[in-house]
Amino acid sequence: MTHQLFQLGMVLPHSILGSLEDFRTEMQARGETELVRRVPAPQSAVSQVLIGAERPPSVPRGQRDVQSHALQHWHTHMTQRRHQQDLISNLLQKPVERLLMNQSNRFRETQEQRELITRGLPAIHSGQGYRVGSEFWSLP
């Protein structure tokens, strides 16, 4: 269709900035009747809505299968992990929260607190943090 429009000397939608309707009204306001005739007739309202509407990027079918399979795989492993935690908890007679395999969050929180303290100490005391050894130059 666009090839036919090109052969007829019509204005192509991708050859102008903005919409064809805006271009048509601007050319009518300027009195350019020759250019107004070269603008193709407007398409139906439904197709204009479909063209102008932003659609989410379509994911190829194979990609969707891989993603859903990965999610199912993760869910299966999480179920197995919970089952293992329950078995170990019963064997050791400890609650699940007290098992060593579930204490990684506390370790991370502790590490983050240490990092914050190490960052804040140089502001309070000279000779702390990365400026150790440069106490001769006191920073304000």
Side-chain angles (χ1 to χ4, degrees), residues 46-69:
V46 174
S47 62
Q48 286 291 344
V49 170
L50 289 177
I51 291 172
E54 288 187 27
R55 294 180 212 145
S58 63
V59 179
R61 177 117 175 97
Q63 184 74 16
R64 269 185 268 147
D65 292 341
V66 170
Q67 290 176 356
S68 66
H69 181 67

Side-chain angles (χ1 to χ4, degrees), residues 78-90:
M78 290 307 293
T79 306
Q80 289 174 354
R81 180 180 169 89
R82 281 189 216 103
H83 184 66
Q84 283 179 337
Q85 289 174 349
D86 291 337
L87 288 175
I88 294 171
S89 173
N90 289 335

Side-chain angles (χ1 to χ4, degrees), residues 76-118:
T76 304
H77 278 285
M78 290 307 293
T79 306
Q80 289 174 354
R81 180 180 169 89
R82 281 189 216 103
H83 184 66
Q84 283 179 337
Q85 289 174 349
D86 291 337
L87 288 175
I88 294 171
S89 173
N90 289 335
L91 282 173
L92 297 176
Q93 297 175 353
K94 283 186 173 183
V96 175
E97 304 84 40
R98 301 275 327 264
L99 293 176
L100 187 60
M101 63 193 296
N102 292 330
Q103 295 186 5
S104 63
N105 285 343
R106 280 192 236 152
F107 178 74
R108 181 179 175 185
E109 289 171 4
T110 306
Q111 290 298 96
E112 288 173 353
Q113 287 176 351
R114 283 183 186 153
E115 171 107 14
L116 285 174
I117 291 171
T118 343

